[in-house]
Amino acid sequence: MPGPCGRLICMLTLGCALWLWASLAPAQVDWEEHPDVRVVVDVSGSMKDNDPERLALSALEMLVALLPNGATAGIWTFGETVDNPLPLGEVDAAWLERALALPPALQDYQQYTDIEAALREAARADANGWRHLVLLTDGMIDLSPAQGSKPEVDEASRRRLLDELATDLADRGVTIHAIAFSGQADLALVERLAQSTGGLASLAENPEGLLGAFLDIVERIFPADQVPLEEGRFVIDDAVETFSALVFHQPEDTPLTLIAPDGTRYRANEAPGAIRWQVDPRFDLIRVPDPQIGEWRLEGPVGEGSRINVASSLHLRTAELPTTLYLGFEVPVEAWVERDGDPLDAEKQAPSLSVSLQDAEGDIQSRISLQPEAGRYRGRLPAPALTGNARLVFRAEGPGFQRQRVQAVNVLPAIGAVYRPRQGRVVLAAEHPRLSHDNTTIHGELQGERLEARAVGASRWVIALPELDEGQSQPLLLTAVIEQQGETRELSLPRLILNPDGRVGIDLADAPGRTLGTERFEGGEQGAASRPAADTMADRFVAWANRLPEKAVGLWQAGVPGLQRLWQAHHRDPRLWAAVALIVALCLVISFLLRRRRARHPVRREEPHV
């Protein structure tokens, strides 16, 4: 694996190539709202530990590479203080050069992490339209003790972020797209910041995941038309002026060949001057102007996420799409096709439109055909069944043409739940913005017993649990009854596993997986994913220490004869007594440290809501 300098050179190459990719067809960019993009990069000390591969450097180069010419962008860094090494400006070759000269500023690590101050500062600058903040962080708030006693000062900042700042930014037209670089991050914070402001949230632990996350964000901000790419084949129609193929592959894969409709074969080292072809160990980037009409083929490995963007007079449009979908709730969608800004003639060129929901692996979860209605096409996509990152894929097919548009979304449960065993209860909170105690009642079922949820806030409930056997894992089935617009519906929530570490499991089949975050409640405790690695190490040490007595008994029972012989031979040796005294002293120190840690950090386990 190359060292940091080698990775940086590779990412610079990737950045320049992707900048070329983004600038191939600037006519595709929708400029109605003139959005600007503000990259906010964490340079705190925790990032040094949680981002050992320096993905933040890769992220910067990827993002500036993907921004189209003419967009407005700037870069902020933060730790204990906030800096703006690259102020807002128009993205062009000069801006790109300044951006790619920034890596030293991204490695000037600071001791603390003030996410709240960074977002306030980056959002402050004026904008001509919507502001998109792209937050790159490990998500751990860690303020200087000079600001107050810890951890109270950190928790207060987290509450302000979620309860006040996120709402204020959303009201001011600021969207936060948040990317976490570590599974040890406060993923719930990252997810909530994005959800509250209409942005996307992702966990990127490798370069491939990072590139995918940034492609999703840029396609959200600057939607682009594509033609479908299936099994290495795609069709170019007479309205296409230029196509750009971004084809991912592995470094050891065989070279790619592009085959035109007339059978002409193009390779990177033999392409004519009109075709711009760049080869990187992990991707090929090909721009073909005035392409032949018909089916083109890619011969060679075509990796997941490869795509064909087109510059064309024919556009697939969609109505505004939410960035967050919810389990149990259908998704209304609307799309249409335009030629040179005018809707297609419904009688002569009536296209068929469809939309599908695909999971992060590209598997289709649901698909519907849209029906024409007053010049547009509308429908309701079935409610998502799985949480996590997903994509809405729109496709239009008409006489002699195909278009595709992809928009990333996050899928969350409509109501989140967390098990609090020390308190003997389950706490629930509405994730869907239109659910509250006024229109929603919740009950659970535990081994045939019905348990009613009690409302304790506008969108918060509590279920008191009976006495449970700690050695037994069992599922709590949760059901919400919702009344909206004169209709009553029953929504089954993801089951919650109680005592998941129990030795015996009861009916644990089909237990749901995790979303991005593990704890999402206002003012609540952070989930296990956001606990420092030191605590995890301490927990393992405590568990080991708790097992010492039984291990000692076993060793004694196995070695009594030998110990007796040792005593008879050396009981007068002062070195033996010194060793015994040292062992006793160590045991007393360990016992004191364990008691002190238990007093400062009481055992607490918070389970994911899904």
Side-chain angles (χ1 to χ4, degrees):
M1 177 174 292
C5 292
R7 284 196 297 270
L8 180 57
I9 292 173
C10 291
M11 294 319 305
L12 287 172
T13 303
L14 175 61
C16 293
L18 290 177
W19 174 70
L20 171 64
W21 154 261
S23 63
L24 291 178
Q28 300 172 69
V29 178
D30 295 330
W31 294 106
E32 290 85 352
E33 295 179 342
H34 302 285
D36 62 39
V37 180
R38 307 173 184 201
V39 189
V40 187
V41 184
D42 190 337
V43 294
S44 63
S46 59
M47 279 289 287
K48 187 175 183 179
D49 297 328
N50 288 328
D51 184 22
E53 294 298 317
R54 302 299 180 261
L55 294 182
L57 295 178
S58 305
L60 173 63
E61 289 127 19
M62 288 181 185
L63 185 60
V64 301
L66 290 169
L67 293 174
N69 280 353
T72 301
I75 297 174
W76 281 255
T77 61
F78 71 96
E80 183 177 0
T81 61
V82 183
D83 298 307
N84 183 202
L86 185 56
L88 281 173
E90 182 177 332
V91 175
D92 53 19
W95 189 95
L96 177 69
E97 185 178 352
R98 293 195 300 273
L100 295 181
L102 287 179
L106 303 183
Q107 294 177 300
D108 185 14
Y109 294 107
Q110 301 179 27
Q111 185 173 0
Y112 298 105
T113 312
D114 195 340
I115 297 176
E116 179 187 0
L119 294 179
R120 289 186 187 277
E121 185 65 29
R124 181 172 295 140
D126 293 334
N128 294 324
W130 285 87
R131 282 159 284 182
H132 291 263
L133 271 58
V134 182
L135 174 65
L136 314 176
T137 183
D138 64 356
M140 294 181 181
I141 296 175
D142 181 20
L143 303 183
S144 168
Q147 297 191 39
S149 60
K150 296 170 73 70
E152 290 79 10
V153 65
D154 298 335
E155 294 170 355
S157 178
R158 190 176 191 269
R159 285 195 297 271
R160 286 194 301 271
L161 266 174
L162 298 179
D163 298 345
E164 301 172 13
L165 183 59
T167 302
D168 177 60
L169 293 180
D171 292 341
R172 292 161 49 196
V174 178
T175 299
I176 299 175
H177 305 281
I179 299 178
F181 286 90
S182 168
Q184 298 300 315
D186 184 351
L187 300 180
L189 174 64
V190 167
E191 193 174 64
R192 279 194 62 83
L193 286 173
Q195 180 203 16
S196 300
T197 60
L200 295 172
S202 299
L203 171 62
E205 297 183 284
N206 55 56
E208 291 77 16
L210 185 64
L211 178 56
F214 275 105
L215 287 173
D216 287 343
I217 290 172
V218 171
E219 286 180 343
R220 260 287 172 180
I221 303 173
F222 306 107
D225 283 319
Q226 303 174 6
V227 293
L229 174 62
E230 297 174 345
E231 298 182 349
R233 299 171 182 266
F234 59 96
V235 177
I236 296 299
D237 56 77
D238 59 3
V240 174
E241 302 163 4
T242 301
F243 77 75
S244 308
L246 181 61
V247 184
F248 295 105
H249 53 70
Q250 295 301 314
E252 64 276 8
D253 287 340
T254 57
L256 195 67
T257 300
L258 177 65
I259 305 174
D262 65 0
T264 303
R265 303 171 69 87
Y266 300 101
R267 296 182 178 85
N269 57 354
E270 302 172 354
I275 296 179
R276 299 168 65 179
W277 192 319
Q278 180 170 347
V279 178
D280 185 87
R282 294 190 176 275
F283 69 88
D284 277 33
L285 179 61
I286 313 166
R287 178 186 186 270
V288 180
D290 301 320
Q292 294 180 28
I293 299 172
E295 184 182 79
W296 290 70
R297 289 185 292 136
L298 292 166
E299 189 176 88
V302 178
E304 185 70 29
S306 300
R307 59 199 68 196
I308 311 294
N309 276 15
V310 295
S312 165
S313 59
L314 200 63
H315 297 279
L316 173 59
R317 306 290 192 185
T318 65
E320 184 176 355
L321 296 168
T323 51
T324 303
L325 311 182
Y326 298 93
L327 294 183
F329 284 81
E330 295 180 334
V331 184
V333 290
E334 179 180 328
W336 66 97
V337 179
E338 294 178 352
R339 185 185 294 275
D340 294 323
D342 297 321
L344 287 184
D345 188 324
E347 296 182 0
K348 298 180 180 179
Q349 299 175 298
S352 61
L353 274 73
S354 64
V355 60
S356 61
L357 179 65
Q358 300 181 5
D359 60 24
E361 285 70 43
D363 296 327
I364 296 177
Q365 301 300 314
S366 60
R367 182 181 183 277
I368 61 167
S369 296
L370 304 183
Q371 301 303 315
E373 183 180 331
R376 297 192 175 185
Y377 291 73
R378 297 182 174 90
R380 301 184 71 84
L381 195 66
L386 299 175
T387 57
N389 297 117
R391 292 178 177 86
L392 290 171
V393 180
F394 289 82
R395 180 172 294 189
E397 297 186 24
F401 75 88
Q402 292 181 318
R403 289 293 181 275
Q404 181 173 285
R405 185 164 284 199
V406 180
Q407 295 282 265
V409 293
N410 296 138
V411 183
L412 301 178
I415 298 174
V418 66
Y419 172 40
R420 299 195 169 173
R422 290 176 61 85
Q423 301 172 12
R425 62 179 185 170
V426 169
V427 181
L428 304 103
E431 302 284 3
H432 196 291
R434 293 197 298 272
L435 297 185
S436 69
H437 68 81
D438 293 329
N439 59 15
T440 305
T441 58
I442 304 173
H443 68 268
E445 183 178 328
L446 182 64
Q447 293 185 297
E449 179 183 358
R450 182 183 173 102
L451 305 174
E452 299 292 341
R454 176 173 57 89
V456 292
S459 57
R460 200 174 173 96
W461 300 261
V462 168
I463 294 179
L465 298 173
E467 195 73 25
L468 300 175
D469 181 352
E470 293 184 359
Q472 200 172 68
S473 295
Q474 48 193 307
L476 174 66
L477 307 182
L478 297 167
T479 302
V481 178
I482 302 169
E483 296 183 5
Q484 285 183 322
Q485 300 176 340
E487 296 183 359
T488 301
R489 54 182 302 207
E490 191 172 276
L491 180 64
S492 295
L493 307 180
R495 65 177 61 189
L496 188 67
I497 305 303
L498 308 181
N499 296 329
D501 294 333
R503 294 183 299 275
V504 179
I506 300 178
D507 186 25
L508 302 185
D510 301 324
R514 295 170 178 244
T515 55
L516 177 65
T518 58
E519 166 61 71
R520 302 177 48 78
F521 299 145
E522 298 84 345
E525 300 161 352
Q526 298 182 26
S530 60
R531 293 169 61 192
D535 281 356
T536 304
M537 293 288 292
D539 288 339
R540 288 199 292 267
F541 178 77
V542 170
W544 173 80
N546 288 337
R547 292 194 299 270
L548 281 178
E550 65 179 86
K551 288 181 178 292
V553 171
L555 290 172
W556 175 264
Q557 291 174 344
V560 167
L563 291 174
Q564 289 175 336
R565 289 193 298 270
L566 181 66
W567 173 258
Q568 292 171 357
H570 300 286
H571 71 279
R572 297 181 182 276
D573 191 334
R575 290 175 298 178
L576 176 61
W577 289 105
V580 170
L582 178 61
I583 292 173
V584 171
L586 286 174
C587 290
L588 291 174
V589 170
I590 291 173
S591 176
F592 169 78
L593 291 176
L594 290 178
R595 288 197 303 270
R596 182 178 180 183
R597 185 186 181 279
R598 288 193 184 105
R600 294 178 59 186
H601 301 284
V603 177
R604 179 177 68 221
R605 182 179 182 88
E606 299 294 340
E607 285 305 310
H609 58 283
V610 293

